[in-house]
Amino acid sequence: MDRWDDFLAPYAQAVDELKLKLNSLKKQMSYNNHGPIEFVTGRVKTKESILEKMQRRHITAENLAVDMEDIAAVRIMCEFVDDIYAIVGILRKRHDMDIIEERDYIAHKKPSGYRSYHIIIRYPVELVTGTKYIKAEIQIRTLAMNFWATIEHSLNYKYQGEFPPEIAERLRKTAEAAFLLDTEMSNIHDDIKEAERLFAQRKRNDEEDKK
Amino acid sequence: MDRWDDFLAPYAQAVDELKLKLNSLKKQMSYNNHGPIEFVTGRVKTKESILEKMQRRHITAENLAVDMEDIAAVRIMCEFVDDIYAIVGILRKRHDMDIIEERDYIAHKKPSGYRSYHIIIRYPVELVTGTKYIKAEIQIRTLAMNFWATIEHSLNYKYQGEFPPEIAERLRKTAEAAFLLDTEMSNIHDDIKEAERLFAQRKRNDEEDKK
Amino acid sequence: MDRWDDFLAPYAQAVDELKLKLNSLKKQMSYNNHGPIEFVTGRVKTKESILEKMQRRHITAENLAVDMEDIAAVRIMCEFVDDIYAIVGILRKRHDMDIIEERDYIAHKKPSGYRSYHIIIRYPVELVTGTKYIKAEIQIRTLAMNFWATIEHSLNYKYQGEFPPEIAERLRKTAEAAFLLDTEMSNIHDDIKEAERLFAQRKRNDEEDKK
Amino acid sequence: MDRWDDFLAPYAQAVDELKLKLNSLKKQMSYNNHGPIEFVTGRVKTKESILEKMQRRHITAENLAVDMEDIAAVRIMCEFVDDIYAIVGILRKRHDMDIIEERDYIAHKKPSGYRSYHIIIRYPVELVTGTKYIKAEIQIRTLAMNFWATIEHSLNYKYQGEFPPEIAERLRKTAEAAFLLDTEMSNIHDDIKEAERLFAQRKRNDEEDKK
């Protein structure tokens, strides 16, 4: 395979379109800069990373477009775990992409400790030669999950191989600690909402009494 | 109608998506920075321009989205007149937009002298609330047509009304002169291609003779 | 103050330029998509947020440009705490901005638990009317600090006021837990580097022995 | 010279920054989408074009950064010839670039018929390794000049060599015709302004008479 640029161009186009569309979603769901989507990123896998993964996963050049589902990937970062499922619900209703598969690595974390919600989509890119359907991955995470996943990925990249068991165990523990933080933040959020509800109710009762 | 931002948001989204997609088309059709699409622009009509046009064309607020077809508009600039029709042919095959109407103001120029190829499309924008189909206009022009149309539009905007007949006549003449330039440029292009064809053929003949 | 758009335009310009420049820095420091800067964001404070802060901090319209230092703000997210100081060192050497003040809220966290490194800069924006120097804030954080600060800010915004003491205490605890995660991730990073160093040394020794 | 990406990166950065800054200038000079700057483009010369020009102009690798002044180039398109000089005046006052040279190919057209105003600047790009000053070219043209120059450049690129005298002559004539159009458009513009001035004066006189 020599024409990497030709091969990767539709993936780059898909990433650009998906970033634009998901940033529009972010804006629609926001008011005064605040909303459930914190930010959106995207990237096309580099030639080097594709070649490395082909070797590691025994993927042939012929099956590359079918078997490697994250050549184009966009990532949505949320504040709370509940936001993730809300966004999944919204994505399911879209007509500009077909969801092929959903993988809930939050309910079922990976052995490494990794958590995220993955959606594999089939996305149409219009080319001069016609419509080309490519696979792309949408990853939806909290900021805490993203913190962990980013560093773990980075250490993995630098380490170039399997972590020693002691390191893997410590990373698993940090994943759990990060998830505990997500849970506590959700609890605080819920408690604030409940406190405000009670406060508003008491205020209404007081006003009733005054009459 | 008070919520202008809400009304215009899907149009802005459409313009952003169309610019991204048509710039991708430009890139696909280019080699070493050269190709038939020179550049792509886009804009959402301002609130002021929409209100002015509603009054001038007697468009009610209820019919605005149906009757005003250029609230979202993108423009493709080409080098030669032939390129315009080639691009129209490519746009007709796309599956991410429906062509509602085509207006060939090149074969049939407007009384003012205006020339361009207009395509009115129905374009789906995905919102949190579902798919919204909006109308958008794609204008395809040569650089010479764009030169004339831009200045005429600008003078019109500054003049705020009907041009006096003498001015209108002079503008019509510049439109014709600009179109003559387009024709001559196409002729030069054709003559160069023909000269190269003859040159290549003579070379082949010479090589034949040497055998 | 009626002409908000005019007032905010140079700030928006500064944010756009700083994002472009810091994304270039990110790219320069990366190899194969990996580097110390994870991502860069930026925003101009909304009119609503400016008015609210003016009231809260008793800032007059005359002193707004001097006293409110985060109307334009960009944010750099890093993987490890050490990366923050490395980037501060690089920013100090730049000639396209003047550092007015540095606030190390990592060494000296805020009472709320907030951690970040803040740099207040004086940044020149070229206008038709001449060079305008505006203040802007560059916030440099780890992903874990950003996780905490984002959610705390969001809860604050929704709550519109002082947190009850019990909530404030729980948020402080999550800030400490997030910082512990940063520390542990740095330790793991150091341990991996040390393990690799030892491994490489052993390999060299073995090769020496074979001779 | 093997590390093309490293060599070209600061030029790409300069083009991105200049486009951002000149688009800001466009916006500052506009009202309701109308102003003297019609659009801004920019590009980094491709490796292929640089190599071709080095050979044609006998530029060595050592002198490349000094002798080739258009590796980074941005282009400003205006409506009227007068706008060009107005923008040159504004650019001269900027503090974020140094003008090294100005070439007025409007007053003194090239033998080919080419017209444009060229400004060679020295522009600072901040790198991790320090400030790097690069040369860049700002081309300022009317839309009519751009029409001609774009097609001439394109024909040249396809033709790969000197035009035959007859073709060169026809291209020169189209350049003159395009410039005549610029002149006539300016005249129409002036006449409209004068007509409006007279109209306004007559109206004032009539109002005076009524008193």
Side-chain angles (χ1 to χ4, degrees):
Chain A
M1 203 180 345
D2 195 18
R3 292 170 300 174
W4 276 102
D5 288 348
D6 283 359
F7 176 74
L8 292 178
Y11 292 94
Q13 178 63 13
V15 166
D16 285 346
E17 292 186 16
L18 288 168
K19 275 168 70 179
L20 183 64
K21 289 174 170 188
L22 296 175
N23 270 310
S24 160
L25 180 64
K26 174 190 163 187
K27 213 175 161 188
Q28 290 173 53
M29 298 179 84
S30 295
Y31 178 72
N32 202 15
N33 282 354
H34 289 270
I37 295 180
E38 193 52 35
F39 61 92
V40 173
T41 62
R43 62 104 191 95
V44 178
K45 232 179 171 61
T46 59
K47 184 184 152 184
E48 287 72 23
S49 298
I50 293 174
L51 287 172
E52 183 274 324
K53 194 174 180 175
M54 285 172 79
Q55 197 162 27
R56 184 159 41 84
R57 296 273 186 95
H58 308 291
I59 298 173
T60 61
E62 292 75 42
N63 294 330
L64 181 55
V66 175
D67 288 353
M68 201 175 292
E69 295 168 325
D70 66 343
I71 295 173
V74 286
R75 198 174 284 165
I76 302 172
M77 260 61 68
C78 305
E79 291 186 9
F80 301 109
V81 178
D82 285 354
D83 296 333
I84 295 174
Y85 293 99
I87 288 158
V88 170
I90 289 167
L91 294 181
R92 280 186 194 136
K93 288 184 199 145
R94 289 183 79 105
H95 294 98
D96 57 350
M97 54 183 74
D98 286 324
I99 296 182
I100 295 176
E101 200 180 327
E102 297 188 18
R103 294 173 191 150
D104 185 346
Y105 294 124
I106 301 167
H108 310 283
K109 66 179 177 196
K110 286 195 182 181
S112 64
Y114 177 85
R115 280 183 181 85
S116 274
Y117 200 101
H118 287 199
I119 295 178
I120 311 296
I121 62 167
R122 188 166 163 270
Y123 185 81
V125 177
E126 293 292 322
L127 302 180
V128 177
T129 47
T131 308
K132 186 176 173 67
Y133 289 89
I134 62 150
K135 284 189 176 178
E137 186 174 82
I138 302 177
Q139 304 171 347
I140 317 170
R141 310 171 166 179
T142 63
L143 293 167
M145 293 171 190
N146 189 51
F147 149 76
W148 185 87
T150 300
I151 295 181
E152 199 263 358
H153 180 75
S154 169
L155 293 175
N156 233 314
Y157 175 77
K158 284 173 191 157
Y159 195 77
Q160 303 262 24
E162 297 272 301
F163 289 125
E166 185 256 353
I167 294 287
E169 181 56 26
R170 282 164 73 189
L171 281 169
R172 261 192 299 277
K173 278 184 182 159
T174 52
E176 291 316 301
F179 192 58
L180 269 179
L181 277 175
D182 265 338
T183 311
E184 172 64 356
M185 285 304 203
S186 289
N187 288 341
I188 295 176
H189 192 196
D190 290 343
D191 291 351
I192 287 178
K193 280 189 285 190
E194 177 64 11
E196 282 182 330
R197 201 185 57 77
L198 287 173
F199 179 78
Q201 193 183 309
R202 220 173 300 146
K203 212 170 141 191
R204 277 197 304 278
N205 291 348
D206 289 358
E207 281 161 6
E208 284 294 312
D209 294 348
K210 280 179 197 158
K211 288 183 188 174
Chain B
M1 199 179 348
D2 195 16
R3 291 170 301 173
W4 276 101
D5 288 347
D6 282 359
F7 176 74
L8 292 177
Y11 292 94
Q13 178 63 13
V15 167
D16 285 345
E17 291 185 16
L18 288 168
K19 275 168 69 180
L20 184 64
K21 289 174 171 189
L22 296 174
N23 270 310
S24 160
L25 181 64
K26 175 189 164 189
K27 213 176 159 188
Q28 289 173 54
M29 297 179 84
S30 297
Y31 177 72
N32 204 15
N33 282 353
H34 289 269
I37 296 181
E38 193 52 35
F39 61 94
V40 174
T41 61
R43 63 104 191 92
V44 178
K45 234 182 170 59
T46 59
K47 185 185 153 183
E48 287 72 24
S49 300
I50 294 174
L51 287 171
E52 183 275 322
K53 193 173 181 175
M54 284 171 80
Q55 199 161 26
R56 182 159 44 82
R57 297 274 185 93
H58 307 292
I59 297 172
T60 60
E62 291 75 41
N63 293 331
L64 181 55
V66 176
D67 288 353
M68 201 174 292
E69 293 168 326
D70 65 343
I71 295 173
V74 286
R75 198 174 284 163
I76 301 172
M77 260 62 68
C78 303
E79 293 186 8
F80 302 108
V81 178
D82 286 353
D83 296 333
I84 295 174
Y85 294 100
I87 287 158
V88 170
I90 288 167
L91 294 181
R92 280 185 195 137
K93 288 184 199 145
R94 290 182 77 105
H95 294 98
D96 56 350
M97 53 181 75
D98 286 324
I99 296 182
I100 295 175
E101 201 180 325
E102 296 189 18
R103 294 172 191 151
D104 185 345
Y105 294 124
I106 300 166
H108 310 283
K109 66 178 177 198
K110 288 194 181 181
S112 63
Y114 177 85
R115 279 182 181 86
S116 275
Y117 200 100
H118 287 199
I119 295 178
I120 311 297
I121 62 167
R122 190 167 162 269
Y123 186 79
V125 177
E126 293 292 322
L127 302 180
V128 176
T129 48
T131 308
K132 186 178 173 67
Y133 289 88
I134 63 152
K135 282 189 175 178
E137 187 173 82
I138 302 177
Q139 304 171 347
I140 316 172
R141 313 170 164 179
T142 63
L143 292 166
M145 295 171 189
N146 188 52
F147 149 77
W148 185 87
T150 301
I151 294 180
E152 199 262 358
H153 180 76
S154 170
L155 292 175
N156 233 315
Y157 175 77
K158 284 173 191 156
Y159 195 77
Q160 301 263 23
E162 297 273 301
F163 289 125
E166 185 254 353
I167 294 286
E169 181 55 26
R170 282 165 72 190
L171 280 169
R172 261 191 300 276
K173 278 184 183 160
T174 53
E176 290 316 300
F179 193 59
L180 269 179
L181 277 175
D182 265 339
T183 312
E184 171 64 354
M185 285 303 203
S186 289
N187 289 341
I188 295 176
H189 192 195
D190 290 344
D191 292 349
I192 286 179
K193 279 189 287 190
E194 177 64 12
E196 282 183 330
R197 200 186 57 78
L198 288 173
F199 180 78
Q201 194 182 308
R202 217 173 301 147
K203 213 171 140 191
R204 276 197 303 277
N205 291 348
D206 289 357
E207 281 162 5
E208 284 293 313
D209 294 349
K210 282 181 195 159
K211 287 182 191 175
Chain C
M1 203 179 341
D2 195 16
R3 292 170 301 174
W4 275 103
D5 287 348
D6 283 359
F7 175 74
L8 292 178
Y11 292 94
Q13 178 62 15
V15 167
D16 285 345
E17 292 185 16
L18 288 168
K19 274 167 71 179
L20 183 64
K21 289 173 170 189
L22 296 175
N23 270 311
S24 159
L25 180 64
K26 175 190 163 187
K27 212 175 159 189
Q28 290 173 54
M29 297 178 84
S30 295
Y31 178 71
N32 203 13
N33 283 353
H34 289 269
I37 296 180
E38 193 52 33
F39 62 93
V40 174
T41 62
R43 61 106 191 93
V44 178
K45 233 180 170 62
T46 59
K47 184 184 154 186
E48 288 72 24
S49 298
I50 293 174
L51 288 171
E52 184 274 324
K53 193 174 181 174
M54 285 171 80
Q55 197 162 25
R56 183 159 43 86
R57 295 273 186 95
H58 308 291
I59 297 173
T60 61
E62 292 75 43
N63 294 331
L64 181 55
V66 175
D67 288 353
M68 202 175 293
E69 295 168 326
D70 66 343
I71 295 173
V74 286
R75 199 174 284 163
I76 301 172
M77 260 61 68
C78 304
E79 291 187 9
F80 300 108
V81 178
D82 286 353
D83 296 332
I84 295 174
Y85 294 99
I87 287 159
V88 170
I90 288 167
L91 293 181
R92 280 185 193 137
K93 288 184 199 146
R94 291 183 77 105
H95 294 98
D96 56 350
M97 54 182 75
D98 286 323
I99 296 181
I100 296 176
E101 200 180 326
E102 296 188 19
R103 293 172 192 151
D104 185 346
Y105 293 124
I106 300 166
H108 310 283
K109 66 178 176 196
K110 288 195 181 181
S112 64
Y114 177 85
R115 281 183 179 86
S116 274
Y117 199 102
H118 287 199
I119 295 178
I120 311 297
I121 62 167
R122 189 167 164 268
Y123 186 80
V125 177
E126 292 293 321
L127 302 180
V128 177
T129 48
T131 308
K132 185 175 174 68
Y133 289 89
I134 62 151
K135 282 188 176 180
E137 186 173 83
I138 303 177
Q139 304 171 346
I140 316 170
R141 310 170 167 180
T142 62
L143 293 166
M145 294 171 189
N146 189 51
F147 150 76
W148 186 87
T150 300
I151 295 181
E152 199 264 356
H153 180 77
S154 170
L155 292 175
N156 233 314
Y157 175 77
K158 285 172 190 157
Y159 195 78
Q160 302 263 22
E162 297 271 302
F163 288 125
E166 184 255 353
I167 294 286
E169 180 55 25
R170 282 165 73 189
L171 281 169
R172 261 192 299 277
K173 277 183 183 160
T174 53
E176 290 316 301
F179 193 58
L180 269 179
L181 277 176
D182 265 340
T183 311
E184 172 63 356
M185 284 304 203
S186 289
N187 288 341
I188 295 175
H189 192 196
D190 290 345
D191 291 351
I192 286 178
K193 279 190 285 189
E194 177 64 11
E196 282 182 330
R197 200 186 57 76
L198 287 174
F199 180 77
Q201 194 182 309
R202 220 171 300 146
K203 213 171 139 191
R204 278 198 302 278
N205 291 347
D206 289 357
E207 281 162 4
E208 283 294 314
D209 293 348
K210 281 179 198 162
K211 287 182 187 172
Chain D
M1 201 177 348
D2 194 17
R3 290 170 302 172
W4 276 102
D5 288 347
D6 283 359
F7 176 75
L8 292 177
Y11 292 94
Q13 179 63 14
V15 167
D16 285 344
E17 291 185 17
L18 288 168
K19 276 167 70 180
L20 184 65
K21 289 174 170 188
L22 296 174
N23 270 310
S24 160
L25 180 64
K26 175 189 164 189
K27 213 176 160 189
Q28 289 174 54
M29 297 179 84
S30 297
Y31 177 72
N32 204 14
N33 283 353
H34 290 269
I37 296 180
E38 193 52 35
F39 62 94
V40 174
T41 61
R43 62 105 192 92
V44 179
K45 233 181 171 61
T46 58
K47 186 185 152 184
E48 287 72 24
S49 298
I50 293 174
L51 287 172
E52 183 275 323
K53 193 172 181 175
M54 284 172 78
Q55 198 161 26
R56 183 159 42 85
R57 297 272 186 94
H58 308 291
I59 296 172
T60 60
E62 292 74 42
N63 294 332
L64 181 54
V66 176
D67 288 352
M68 201 174 294
E69 293 168 327
D70 66 343
I71 295 173
V74 287
R75 199 174 285 165
I76 301 173
M77 260 61 69
C78 304
E79 292 186 8
F80 302 107
V81 178
D82 286 354
D83 296 334
I84 295 174
Y85 293 99
I87 287 158
V88 169
I90 288 167
L91 293 181
R92 280 185 194 137
K93 287 184 199 145
R94 290 182 78 105
H95 294 97
D96 56 349
M97 53 182 75
D98 287 323
I99 295 182
I100 295 176
E101 200 179 326
E102 297 188 18
R103 294 173 191 150
D104 185 346
Y105 293 125
I106 301 167
H108 311 283
K109 67 178 177 198
K110 287 195 182 180
S112 63
Y114 177 85
R115 280 183 180 86
S116 274
Y117 200 101
H118 287 199
I119 295 178
I120 312 296
I121 62 168
R122 189 168 162 270
Y123 186 80
V125 177
E126 293 292 322
L127 302 180
V128 176
T129 47
T131 308
K132 186 176 174 69
Y133 289 88
I134 63 150
K135 284 189 175 178
E137 186 173 83
I138 302 177
Q139 304 171 347
I140 316 172
R141 313 172 164 179
T142 62
L143 292 167
M145 295 172 189
N146 188 52
F147 150 76
W148 185 88
T150 300
I151 294 181
E152 199 261 358
H153 180 76
S154 170
L155 292 175
N156 232 313
Y157 175 77
K158 284 172 191 158
Y159 194 78
Q160 302 264 21
E162 297 271 302
F163 289 125
E166 185 255 353
I167 295 287
E169 182 55 27
R170 282 165 74 189
L171 280 169
R172 261 192 300 276
K173 278 183 182 158
T174 53
E176 290 317 300
F179 193 59
L180 269 179
L181 277 175
D182 265 339
T183 311
E184 171 64 355
M185 285 303 203
S186 289
N187 289 340
I188 295 176
H189 192 196
D190 290 344
D191 292 350
I192 287 179
K193 279 189 287 190
E194 178 63 12
E196 282 183 330
R197 201 186 57 77
L198 288 173
F199 180 79
Q201 195 182 305
R202 218 172 301 146
K203 214 171 138 192
R204 277 197 302 278
N205 292 347
D206 289 357
E207 280 162 6
E208 284 295 312
D209 293 349
K210 283 180 195 159
K211 289 183 190 174

